[in-house]
Amino acid sequence: MSHPQPSIGSIASGRARGRRIAGALALLAGCATAAGAAPSDRSFGIWANPRNSVHIRAHACGESMCGTVVWANDKAIADARRGGTDQLVGTQLFRNFRKDAKGRWRGSVFVPDLNKVLSGEVRVVDGNTITGRGCLLGGIGCKSQTWTRVPDSASAAR
C-alpha cells in the first residue's frame, strides 16, 4: 500500500496536527538501529516517547532498521484508529532506516493518526537517550523529541 506525501499546505492545519506530528516524531525516535548493526548495538531495544504513551522496539530487518509498536496507551490507540489504523500495537512505523556518514539514522516513518509517511532521522545521544526529528516535506514543518530507553521487562509487564 502506498501512502502519499503530504503537501506543504497541510502544515497549516493547526496545533492538533502539530501535536500528531510531534507524536509521530516521538515514535520515530524509537527507530534508531540500522544495517549491519550488531545485536548489542545500543540503538536496539525498547524506547518510550516523552509522554510514555507509546513504546517502540527498534530492531534489524534485513539490511535496514525497523521500528514496531509493542505497547500503546488507550489514547494513542484511539488516535490511530481515528486516522485509519485499526491495530496500532504490532504496526511497523519505521522503514528503511540507514545510518549516514554523520552517524544519524535516516528513513521513513508512518504516522498512523495522519495516515501519512514522513521523512525522519534519529540520533543516539547515549545508551538511554535518543532524539528524533521528522519533517513534512523537504525540511519544512519539522518537530523534534527526546525518547528514553525502557527496560524490556517494564514494557512486557504492560
Side-chain angles (χ1 to χ4, degrees), residues 24 27-29 31 56 65-67 92-97 108-109:
L27 294 174
L28 171 66
C31 66
I56 302 274
M65 177 289 306
C66 294
Q92 184 180 44
L93 302 179
F94 307 105
R95 307 164 188 160
N96 298 319
F97 270 78
S108 299
V109 60

Side-chain angles (χ1 to χ4, degrees), residues 1-71:
M1 174 170 40
S2 175
H3 298 285
Q5 290 292 327
S7 68
I8 293 174
S10 67
I11 296 169
S13 295
R15 293 184 88 174
R17 177 161 286 183
R19 278 187 226 120
R20 281 182 260 161
I21 292 167
L25 292 172
L27 294 174
L28 171 66
C31 66
T33 192
S40 62
D41 187 302
R42 66 183 184 166
S43 302
F44 283 94
I46 300 173
W47 299 92
N49 68 349
R51 292 184 181 186
N52 199 31
S53 60
V54 175
H55 294 180
I56 302 274
R57 178 178 302 278
H59 56 93
C61 58
E63 297 281 322
S64 300
M65 177 289 306
C66 294
T68 304
V69 178
V70 295
W71 177 85

